Amino acid sequence: MVEKAELQGWDINEMAQKVALDIPDGAYVNLGIGIPEKVAAFVPEGREVIYHTENGLLGMGKTPEAGKEDPELINAGKKAVTTIPGACFFHHADSFTMIRGKHIDVCVLGALQVAANGDLANWSTGEPGAIPAVGGAMDLVAGVKTIYVITRHTTKTGESKIVKQCSYPLTGKAVVNRIYTNLAVIDVRETGLFVRELAPGISFEYLQSQTEARLNP
Amino acid sequence: MINKLVSTVSEAVSGVFDGATIMIGGFGEAGSPIELIHALVDQGAKDLTIVSNNTGSGEVGLAALIAHKRVRKMICSFPRTANSTVFPELYKKGEIELELVPQGTLAERIRAGGAGIPAFYTPTSFGTPLAEGKETRIFDGVTYVMENAIKADFALVKARSADRYGNLIYNKTARNFGPIMCTAAKTTLVQVQHFVDLGDIDPEIVVTPGIFVQHVVVVENPADESKLVAENRRYPW
């Protein structure tokens, strides 16, 4: 079951490429830790996108070569990065002024669950005894103009991540604009979830069968 | 004459008292004032409330201070990081308190503390467990959560260069919480790699004006926290 699910639809790189194509030229973009970071590799030629990392850098460049890492030049995932010409550093209050003040155009995030109304849960499974940690996720979803979620359509155990109502603690209410999964690209509108594109070989009926929330074709 | 330079890290932290609230700069190891923290471990103040984005890694720096049971409460946004074991163990045993704050709200609470603003409204965290019990208010149809400023007795910050007035410049993403923490503490202690003459820092590029800094100490070659953690070092050595 799990094996089968992993083979369906687009792979992670294809999903990241779908996201990259939807980011316009000139956008200021914040990429979440993990899969969202892959989006940077697929920005089409001719588009100039500036990456923001909330620990205090606008104009984040590629990963440095091995041996050239600087422990004081890192991204929000605490990994070594580089700067592009024209980059700038700033403190945390300025960084979150960019976020909360709606100056960042697009944020791409992972998800545990997304609800039909755009509610996002991506910071905690709410397990008793677990140590809660939130970082900048709640600020990003509250402040960035467009929120894209990139995630597998179902969990490793086959449960739908696109749900009627999130059972995990929320990161933000009605904040997600579009969801990119291995099976489809889905728009979140005030009137519900609308399928924008289906992965090759995936029918709307099959997609609905893998989705707890109701979809509109 | 104004001269904020002190000669040793132990002299810098000598005034820290039991029960103090202390802001500690850094995002992970970037900007963490590890030598000042180690001096604080040696100094012995306890029952501390620490405001810092993370909780340290391995058993050096902030993690060492926590391991020595000096910290009563952590106010932070992300208490779990790679190699962070000390805080999780004490938290699970109920031996340390945690106030979890979204990262941008943490930054703004500190900024407000330094700016003389007692509280503010933010859209962040509305509708989530972190807004429970907090006052909310609607502006232009959007619901905002009220958050209180944070002020501290001390701030421990790492910067690249300082002059004797306490003007500071930082290094890359190690700047992070430093500038706002300097403004929000009664006594700000800064460790720098370079101590320069007045005028050597172009007034156009001063990041923290010296008015926000009380003491500066030079640590020419600060330890690389991740290397210490990789070598399983534990403070005190």
Side-chain angles (χ1 to χ4, degrees), chain A residues 53-57 70-78 81 89-93 96-97 100 123-124 129-140 142-143 169-173, chain B residues 27-31 54 77-81 88 91-92 98 100-105 107-108 111 122-130 158 171-177 179-180 224:
Chain A
T53 181
E54 62 267 28
N55 54 314
L57 165 61
D70 178 345
E72 298 204 326
L73 182 50
I74 58 172
N75 66 11
K78 303 192 174 76
V81 295
F89 299 115
F90 34 82
H91 61 65
H92 254 71
F96 284 86
T97 291
R100 206 189 303 101
W123 69 284
S124 164
I131 294 160
V134 66
M138 288 185 183
D139 305 283
L140 285 162
L170 292 189
T171 309
K173 278 184 83 65
Chain B
F27 181 84
E29 73 170 309
N54 307 104
S77 89
F78 210 86
R80 289 188 267 115
T81 14
Y91 180 77
K92 281 179 182 161
L98 170 66
L100 189 73
V101 184
Q103 200 171 328
T105 298
E108 193 61 14
R111 197 197 69 80
T122 175
T124 302
S125 90
F126 173 65
T128 78
L130 298 190
K158 183 186 186 187
N171 187 44
K172 305 185 182 104
T173 55
R175 183 182 305 191
N176 56 64
F177 284 90
I180 49 175
D224 183 337

Side-chain angles (χ1 to χ4, degrees), chain B residues 12-124:
Chain B
V13 300
S14 59
V16 178
F17 48 86
D18 291 354
T21 295
I22 307 177
M23 294 178 175
I24 300 184
F27 181 84
E29 73 170 309
S32 182
I34 190 165
E35 282 75 16
L36 281 172
I37 302 170
H38 287 165
L40 187 58
V41 172
D42 296 342
Q43 192 260 11
K46 57 183 191 299
D47 207 20
L48 304 172
T49 295
I50 302 291
V51 183
S52 196
N53 192 60
N54 307 104
T55 59
S57 58
E59 288 193 49
V60 295
L62 178 52
L65 190 70
I66 296 170
H68 284 80
K69 309 272 180 84
R70 304 288 170 71
V71 183
R72 183 181 65 81
K73 179 180 178 181
M74 280 298 314
I75 301 177
C76 71
S77 89
F78 210 86
R80 289 188 267 115
T81 14
N83 303 311
S84 175
T85 50
V86 169
F87 177 85
E89 279 170 26
L90 290 180
Y91 180 77
K92 281 179 182 161
K93 284 193 267 178
E95 292 177 11
I96 190 165
E97 279 178 61
L98 170 66
E99 180 179 340
L100 189 73
V101 184
Q103 200 171 328
T105 298
L106 181 64
E108 193 61 14
R109 289 178 65 189
I110 295 166
R111 197 197 69 80
I117 295 185
F120 57 90
Y121 289 95
T122 175
T124 302

Side-chain angles (χ1 to χ4, degrees), chain A residues 45 53 87 106 109 131 159 184 208:
Chain A
E45 195 110 358
T53 181
V106 178
L109 289 168
I131 294 160
E159 290 146 277
Q208 182 64 79

Side-chain angles (χ1 to χ4, degrees), chain A residues 79-189:
Chain A
K79 282 193 223 142
V81 295
T82 55
T83 53
I84 61 164
C88 54
F89 299 115
F90 34 82
H91 61 65
H92 254 71
D94 279 352
S95 187
F96 284 86
T97 291
M98 294 176 197
I99 292 170
R100 206 189 303 101
K102 298 205 180 284
H103 305 282
I104 307 286
D105 298 299
V106 178
C107 178
V108 185
L109 289 168
L112 292 166
Q113 291 174 326
V114 184
N117 67 346
D119 286 359
L120 173 67
N122 78 344
W123 69 284
S124 164
T125 55
E127 251 174 84
I131 294 160
V134 66
M138 288 185 183
D139 305 283
L140 285 162
V141 299
V144 175
K145 288 181 225 167
T146 302
I147 303 291
Y148 290 156
V149 160
I150 181 167
T151 178
R152 292 200 159 282
H153 202 85
T154 53
T155 65
K156 284 177 183 161
T157 49
E159 290 146 277
S160 175
K161 286 183 151 201
I162 303 172
V163 294
K164 288 176 187 155
Q165 204 171 4
C166 295
S167 56
Y168 293 138
L170 292 189
T171 309
K173 278 184 83 65
V175 292
V176 176
N177 300 100
R178 191 172 290 166
I179 311 163
Y180 300 78
T181 79
N182 52 310
L183 300 183
V185 180
I186 299 166
D187 277 340
V188 183
R189 298 187 205 154

Side-chain angles (χ1 to χ4, degrees), chain B residues 94-174:
Chain B
E95 292 177 11
I96 190 165
E97 279 178 61
L98 170 66
E99 180 179 340
L100 189 73
V101 184
Q103 200 171 328
T105 298
L106 181 64
E108 193 61 14
R109 289 178 65 189
I110 295 166
R111 197 197 69 80
I117 295 185
F120 57 90
Y121 289 95
T122 175
T124 302
S125 90
F126 173 65
T128 78
L130 298 190
E132 275 166 26
K134 289 180 182 165
E135 190 180 321
T136 60
R137 193 167 159 180
I138 298 169
F139 297 91
D140 293 330
V142 179
T143 310
Y144 294 81
V145 179
M146 194 181 86
E147 294 282 357
N148 292 307
I150 308 177
K151 289 195 270 193
D153 299 300
F154 300 91
L156 273 48
V157 166
K158 183 186 186 187
R160 188 171 75 193
S161 303
D163 59 26
R164 68 178 172 88
Y165 284 177
N167 292 310
L168 305 178
I169 56 171
Y170 296 81
N171 187 44
K172 305 185 182 104
T173 55

Side-chain angles (χ1 to χ4, degrees), chain B residues 199-210:
Chain B
D200 279 2
I201 305 174
D202 180 349
E204 288 284 3
I205 65 158
V206 169
V207 176
T208 291

